[in-house]
Amino acid sequence: MAELHVFGEKRWMRVVLIGVAVLLLVVMLVAPLVLLFAEAFARGIAAYGASLMKSETLSAIGLTLKIAAIVVPINAAFGVVAAWGIAKFQFPGKSLLVSLIDLPISISPVVAGLVFVLIFGARGWLGPTLSEHGIKVIFAAPGMILATLFVTVAFVARQLIPLMEQQGREEEEAAIVLGASGFQTFWRVTLPNIRWGLVYGILLCNARAMGEFGAVAVVSGQIRGMTMTMPLQILALYQDYDSVGAFAVASLLALLAVVTLAVRRFLEWRYREELGYVGSL
Amino acid sequence: MSIAVAAAPRRRNALPGFGPTIGLTVFVVCVLILIPVAGLFVKATDLSVAQALALLSSPRVLAAFRLSFGLALLAAAVDGIAGLLIAWVLVRYDFPLRRYFDAIIDLPFALPTAVAGIALTALYADNGWFGAPLARLGINVAFTPLGIFVALLFIGLPYAVRTVQPVLADLERDVEEAALTLGAHPRQIFSRVIFPQLLPAILTGIGLAFARGVGEYGSVIFIAGNMPGISEILPLLIVIRLQQYDYAGAALIAATMLVGSLVILLALNLFAGRWVRRHG
């Protein structure tokens, strides 16, 4: 990229501005990331591996994967369905519906957990009735899945709605006029057009589902080896003064974040035309 | 013009699936989002007005409100300044590793909050890379309100950069060029030509960073120390109320927090709107 300095500032001014910006980025963002891996490997690679192999940590990793395996496909399907209805049709109340889908993103994670405790908790509206029938939602996996669904519900829809709006509906209408069924049209025409936006939305949804802390902390009860996810396990190990253990789990999630960002950059670079607008979350 | 539009035959949308997709979307939105969030406000009314006022005006709750709102606003404002500087440098200058620095801006979006929390705590603890030199100067960051500020600064930075960056990239350069030719000083060009066009985006970024910061929990509880009345944030107070099975109290604090941050966001938007009208 060519230098753009119409503005007329002096060269030393530019050097100072670049220096301060780089210093800010290194102190605020690079240092925490480097420290994570430095701390995780502080006692060597063997200690790192051993700390990840502890049964409590393994069960936290397992539960995190299980929750993501349930939540991500549901929210991906919801995102596609919602984006089809919202992007391809005009109807009253459309912007209200979009704002409501976005609402969980702007709500405090703790409040996201709280709303489900109010309904399903031991003293909630449905909690006592459900527990009479032996159904446990809060302090168990179902509540954690619900809270994660809530927190990540907008991620795929948010990527697809602007993308599908921008692509219009001429191609789909042509397919329908030529006799294709609705599902054929979606499968052969729409899906190939939105696939990279969908992949990116799924990646973001997955990163958040695996990394969610506040909402899950409120509904899980944090029972060791039972209702702990990876982010909750980080806090538990940290409170046990098991620094290598806590940072080892943290390093796995940090790796997931770095991979998510790298894939995002790659998709933006490779499929710029196809992706059109790429929202940032 | 309007007559022509009205007279034109309304094109029928030939695509199928409107009913089922919108029906399912509305159903999910109601069951998963609308009803649970409405329940929060319903639950808060379990308390009488006197009880609600007593809870909200208790010293511990008031201190948490001041801390959460005050630090979120302060951190968002500082992010606004840092974000402007970083966006400026990324858009206008070329330097080694620029693309990598641009990419790492999104790290706080993608990094789980607990991971950010543990990293910042270790970094700013008295024996940490940054904490040790600061402690020698007599400044303690981790386990003080200053630590909360540092965490909120981290969480909010990408909002501040990413809202200003596209506006800055789209700015018309010919106005700057004209001002320069007419002999304006760079400082005048910035304050009279560039800054007024950027301010709405800066305010949007500050608003987003603030909204995120008020409710932030994961990264803050690691670094805050969580001392009641000193470094106890609102979301933590909600969690503590819940652990005591005080559902109505937790709901009231949460509802007040939501309404409070909505009011501040609205005020920021109104100000940005007036600014745009006045400065074109």
Side-chain angles (χ1 to χ4, degrees), chain B residues 99 196 219:
Chain B
R99 289 164 57 98
S219 61

Side-chain angles (χ1 to χ4, degrees), chain B residues 12 47 70 80 99 101 114 168 178 199-200 220 257 259 264 271 276:
Chain B
R12 215 180 127 264
L47 296 172
R99 289 164 57 98
F101 282 115
L168 196 52
L199 189 64
V220 172
M257 184 172 91
V259 172
I264 291 185
F271 180 76
V276 169

